[in-house]
Amino acid sequence: QVELVESGGRLVQAGDSLRLSCVASGRTIEHYGMGWFRQAPGQKRTFVGVITSSSSRTYYADSAQGRFTVSRDNAKNTVYLQMNNLKPEDTASYYCAASYYEGVTGPNEYHSWGQGTQVTVSS
């Protein structure tokens, strides 16, 4: 099982940018599809974006399209979520996750999760 640790979340203002990191340990993530999800208080965990193992493809939720970018550095066993033009509705805990499958968007298709990092966007 791979261990994932997210970092980079903090309080920012609307319009700011933020980059989240997800560092993996225990085993390499180079063969895993890696996804980002978020969860606001009282809400379900929802898909944000995903990147395939070779970085050849990325997919995003409508809310993230055009503002967020998922990337990965397999040599560093790390995945990133670059978030630009942040909005108050982006406020949530952000989680990275690993999947045996490529390009999947359902939480149940991911087998390993990090503990989350909090992003708060003030208006």
Side-chain angles (χ1 to χ4, degrees), residues 52-75:
T52 57
S53 58
S54 63
S55 302
S56 61
R57 290 175 292 159
T58 53
Y59 303 98
Y60 299 95
D62 289 345
S63 59
Q65 187 72 47
R67 297 188 301 127
F68 293 6
T69 302
V70 181
S71 61
R72 66 192 295 164
D73 185 340
N74 285 340

Side-chain angles (χ1 to χ4, degrees), residues 92-103:
S93 290
Y94 283 73
Y95 300 85
C96 70
S99 175
Y100 297 120
Y101 309 104
E102 302 277 29

Side-chain angles (χ1 to χ4, degrees), residues 1-122:
Q1 197 82 337
V2 62
E3 180 177 338
L4 303 172
V5 178
E6 304 93 336
S7 63
R10 61 183 178 90
L11 173 64
V12 297
Q13 293 188 335
D16 285 352
S17 296
L18 200 59
R19 189 177 82 158
L20 306 182
S21 299
C22 171
V23 179
S25 61
R27 63 188 306 170
T28 177
I29 60 169
E30 65 179 335
H31 300 301
Y32 294 146
M34 296 298 296
W36 284 94
F37 291 77
R38 67 187 183 186
Q39 187 169 20
Q43 304 294 319
K44 294 191 304 183
R45 190 167 297 188
T46 59
F47 169 73
V48 174
V50 61
I51 188 167
T52 57
S53 58
S54 63
S55 302
S56 61
R57 290 175 292 159
T58 53
Y59 303 98
Y60 299 95
D62 289 345
S63 59
Q65 187 72 47
R67 297 188 301 127
F68 293 6
T69 302
V70 181
S71 61
R72 66 192 295 164
D73 185 340
N74 285 340
K76 295 183 178 180
N77 231 23
T78 301
V79 183
Y80 305 98
L81 178 65
Q82 176 68 43
M83 303 186 292
N84 298 328
N85 190 23
L86 283 161
K87 304 175 181 180
E89 51 264 43
D90 295 320
T91 295
S93 290
Y94 283 73
Y95 300 85
C96 70
S99 175
Y100 297 120
Y101 309 104
E102 302 277 29
V104 292
T105 63
N108 291 339
E109 295 169 296
Y110 288 79
H111 58 82
S112 296
W113 292 84
Q115 84 293 343
T117 186
Q118 178 67 35
V119 173
T120 303
V121 185
S122 65

